[in-house]
Amino acid sequence: MTEMPAYWQNYIDGAWVDGEAGRLAVVDPATGEALAEVARAGAGDVDRAVQAARRVHLSGALTAMRPVERGRMVQAIGRWLLEHADDIAAVLTAEQGKPIWEARTEVAGAARYFEYYGNQAETLEGRSIPLGGGYVDYTVHEPYGVSAQIIPWNFPLEMVARSLSAGLATGNACVVKTPELTPLACTHVARAAEWAGFPPGAVNILCGLGEEAGAALSAHPQVNQIVFTGSVPTGIAIATAAARNVVPCVLELGGKSAAIVHDDADLAAFETDIRRGIFVNAGQVCSAMSRVIVHESRHDELVERAVSVARSLSVGPGAERTEAGEGMGALVSEGQRDRALGFVERAQAQGAAVATGGRKLNRPGAFMEPTVLTGVTPDMEVAREEVFGPVLSVIPFRDEAHALEIANGTEYGLVGGVFTRSLDRATRAAGAMRAGQVFVNEWFAGGVETPFGGYGKSGYGREKGREALWNYVQTKNVAIRMRGGA
Ligand code: NAD
C-alpha cells in the first residue's frame, strides 16, 4: 500500500476541504491505535454540499445528458476503483478490521454496482397511455434532484457504491455522509467520480458525526430524497426528519435472519453457509445468518459441524489474512466487540450454553472468538436482537410450522433461508417467511441484480436490482390535448 495519509479531507463541490467542526480520529481496530484523522463536517459543510448538488441538478448537467453517456460515466467510477483495488482494500482493512481478501472482494463488489447501474441508466422508459382521440399521453421518470445517502461502517465502500451508482445513473446529484468509524476508503469514490468526468457538486462525500452532519443532512430542506443504511433507532430518526420535509426515504436497517435446516438438508454443504453466513466480516453483516433453526433430529450433528467451522478460523489482523476464505479479522471497534460479548454473557445467564468461542482474544485489538451458542430459546435476547458480531445461535424445531413460527418471531424481516432437498418444503417456506429475500440451499445466493430490502423493522424500499431505480425517480405524466391546426 502507498503510505497512509495522516489526514483526509471531505469532498464538497469538487474541492477537498476541511471540516468546520474540526477533525475525527480513525482507529485501527486490529491494534487499537490511531490510524488517521478525517475532516469533521458541521451543518455549514452539509449545507454547502447540498447547495452544490442542487446547483448541478438545476443546471440540468446530469439530466440533459443522453442516458447512455451518463451510464458510461457511472461505469467509469467502477473501473477506477478496480484499477486502485489494492490500495483501497488496504485502507479498508486498516480502518474496518476485515481480512484483506474480504476487503478486495468489497472493492470488486463496489465496482460491480457501478457496472450494473451504469448499464441500467438507459433502461428507464416511460409509457404511452391511450386516452382516446385527440389526446397524447406519456410518462417520464425524473430524478428527485438531491439524493442524501447515509452510510454504515460495516461495508462502507459497497454501501456508498450501492446508493451512489443508482442515484447517479438516474440523474440525481448526491451528498454522501460516510460512517465516522470507517470513512477513509469511501473518499476514493470522490476521486473516481472526478476522474470519470462528473461535474463539481454532482458527487459530494463528507464525513462527520451522525448526530451532527448526519442529522443536518437528513433534515436539510433542500434534500429531495434520502437513502439510509444503518440501525433501527437511527432509521426512525431519519424517517422522522424526512417526514418533516415531506421527502421519501429508503431505510435499509438491521436483521435477525434465520436459516431453517430440515432433516433432509446436506449438512456438509451447510458448513460453507455457516462460514459465509455468520463469520464473514466477523458477523457484522445486516443479512447475517445469525440464527440456525434446525430439526431436532439433526441438531447435534449441526452443532458439531458449526463448532468445527468456528474453530477452524484463525483470528488475527486482517492485513495478514490474504488468501480467500482465510480466517477472521477484528471487529470494527472494541466497543462493538464488547457489545457482542455482552450478548453472549447475558445469553448464558438466561440458560444458553457456549459450544465454542464467547471470549475476547488476549491481545490488543477488537478481536473475538467465533462463537456458537446452543440451548437458545426464541424468547431470549440473543434470539431476538441483532448482535452484529460472530455469534451463531442454534435453536431446535419439532415440525415445519414450529420452524416458521420461530423464524418469523422477531420484529425484523431482512432475509431468510431454507435448507432441504424437498422443493415443496422450500417453496412453502419461501412463501411463509416474512423477509425481503429468501435463500434456498445457499446463504447469500443472488447478487447486485437481485432486489434487497426488509420487511418489518428491517426497513422499507429496495436497493439492488432494477427495483432500486424506482427509489431514485419520480414519475411525471404529460397529457396533451391535440387541437389540430398547422
Ligand atoms: P448507525 O445507525 O449507528 O449509523 C449509520 C449511519 O447513520 C452513520 O453514518 C451514522 O453517522 C449516521 N447517523 C447516526 N445517527 C444519526 C442521526 N441522528 N441522524 C442522521 N444520521 C445519523 O448504524 P451503524 O452502527 O453504522 O451500522 C450498523 C447497523 O446498520 C446495523 O443495525 C446493521 O444491520 C445495519 N445495516 C443494514 C444494512 C442493510 O442493507 N439493511 C447494511 C449494512 C448495515
Side-chain angles (χ1 to χ4, degrees):
M1 180 178 118
T2 45
E3 208 181 319
M4 168 82 61
Y7 172 52
W8 301 59
Q9 289 175 302
N10 288 331
Y11 184 72
I12 297 176
D13 201 7
W16 293 96
V17 294
D18 293 337
E20 65 172 24
R23 296 181 180 199
L24 291 168
V26 180
V27 172
D28 178 348
T31 60
E33 283 166 19
L35 189 63
E37 287 185 316
V38 65
R40 171 175 161 183
D45 300 311
V46 167
D47 183 55
R48 271 188 292 285
V50 172
Q51 298 305 345
R54 185 172 155 78
R55 265 199 313 280
V56 170
H57 173 62
L58 295 178
S59 76
L62 296 179
T63 44
M65 200 181 280
R66 195 166 171 167
V68 66
E69 296 298 337
R70 200 167 61 235
R72 285 178 184 143
M73 285 165 69
V74 171
Q75 289 185 324
I77 295 180
R79 283 201 304 279
W80 191 95
L81 295 178
L82 287 177
E83 274 162 29
H84 297 82
D86 286 345
D87 281 351
I88 302 171
V91 172
L92 194 49
T93 285
E95 65 181 335
Q96 208 275 344
K98 63 185 66 188
I100 187 80
W101 68 268
E102 286 187 26
R104 279 195 215 107
T105 308
E106 181 167 341
V107 178
R112 172 76 183 113
Y113 278 109
F114 290 104
E115 177 185 48
Y116 178 77
Y117 285 110
N119 265 327
Q120 298 294 330
E122 55 182 328
T123 67
L124 268 180
E125 296 168 345
R127 61 193 178 110
S128 155
I129 300 170
L131 290 178
Y135 293 93
V136 173
D137 189 283
Y138 61 92
T139 63
V140 286
H141 305 300
E142 296 184 338
Y144 278 103
V146 178
S147 171
Q149 308 176 352
I150 301 179
I151 307 298
W153 47 257
N154 59 340
F155 291 96
L157 192 71
E158 264 196 84
M159 298 297 98
V160 169
R162 187 166 83 176
S163 303
L164 189 65
S165 57
L168 292 173
T170 46
N172 292 276
C174 301
V175 180
V176 179
K177 208 297 273 171
T178 59
E180 44 275 66
L181 291 177
T182 59
L184 306 181
C186 300
T187 61
H188 291 89
V189 177
R191 297 192 189 284
E194 213 168 43
W195 179 80
F198 279 95
V203 175
N204 302 275
I205 302 216
L206 39 95
C207 188
L209 296 177
E211 63 270 22
E212 195 170 46
L217 181 58
S218 53
H220 198 291
Q222 274 154 347
V223 161
N224 306 112
Q225 179 254 15
I226 304 175
V227 186
F228 170 71
T229 306
S231 64
V232 175
T234 310
I236 293 170
I238 285 173
T240 305
R244 288 209 179 92
N245 287 328
V246 198
V247 298
C249 61
V250 178
L251 299 182
E252 295 283 3
L253 309 179
K256 190 72 206 178
S257 302
I260 296 177
V261 180
H262 282 284
D263 55 5
D264 61 349
D266 179 348
L267 291 195
F270 190 65
E271 288 187 14
T272 306
D273 299 290
I274 295 171
R275 168 72 184 97
R276 294 173 58 189
I278 190 65
F279 298 132
V280 156
N281 205 18
Q284 302 160 114
V285 181
C286 52
S287 48
M289 188 181 74
S290 54
R291 295 182 294 157
V292 169
I293 304 170
V294 57
H295 188 262
E296 52 198 11
S297 67
R298 306 292 300 278
H299 173 271
D300 293 355
E301 184 193 346
L302 186 139
V303 169
E304 206 175 291
R305 288 181 184 275
V307 166
S308 105
V309 170
R311 289 192 181 149
S312 73
L313 299 174
S314 75
V315 182
E320 295 167 11
R321 279 148 182 76
T322 54
E323 296 305 315
E326 196 188 5
M328 202 176 83
L331 277 77
V332 73
S333 67
E334 291 184 11
Q336 187 64 24
R337 190 266 320 273
D338 293 344
R339 182 177 174 276
L341 289 171
F343 272 96
V344 175
E345 210 172 281
R346 291 190 296 279
Q348 284 178 286
Q350 289 170 16
V354 173
T356 189
R359 293 171 307 188
K360 60 181 176 184
L361 259 52
N362 189 18
R363 60 175 295 168
F367 296 102
M368 172 177 176
E369 295 172 335
T371 301
V372 178
L373 297 179
T374 58
V376 175
T377 54
D379 54 320
M380 287 180 186
E381 177 202 47
V382 76
R384 312 183 72 81
E385 305 280 325
E386 186 177 45
V387 176
F388 227 54
V391 180
L392 178 68
S393 294
V394 183
I395 307 172
F397 74 85
R398 292 183 303 278
D399 55 33
E400 201 173 312
H402 186 212
L404 286 166
E405 183 193 322
I406 300 170
N408 286 337
T410 76
E411 291 193 310
Y412 292 110
L414 194 53
V415 304
V418 55
F419 293 77
T420 177
R421 292 191 166 90
S422 158
L423 188 58
D424 284 358
R425 277 175 168 170
T427 48
R428 271 198 303 274
M433 280 185 146
R434 290 193 42 74
Q437 196 170 47
V438 177
F439 307 124
V440 178
N441 289 336
E442 186 187 294
W443 199 265
F444 294 141
V448 170
E449 309 90 325
T450 50
F452 175 75
Y455 280 32
K457 291 259 164 58
S458 291
Y460 48 73
R462 293 292 175 266
E463 289 272 73
K464 302 169 85 168
R466 282 186 52 77
E467 281 74 2
L469 296 170
W470 301 112
N471 298 321
Y472 295 87
V473 292
Q474 47 198 341
T475 300
K476 177 183 280 177
N477 188 81
V478 180
I480 305 171
R481 175 76 166 104
M482 307 301 284
R483 294 282 180 202

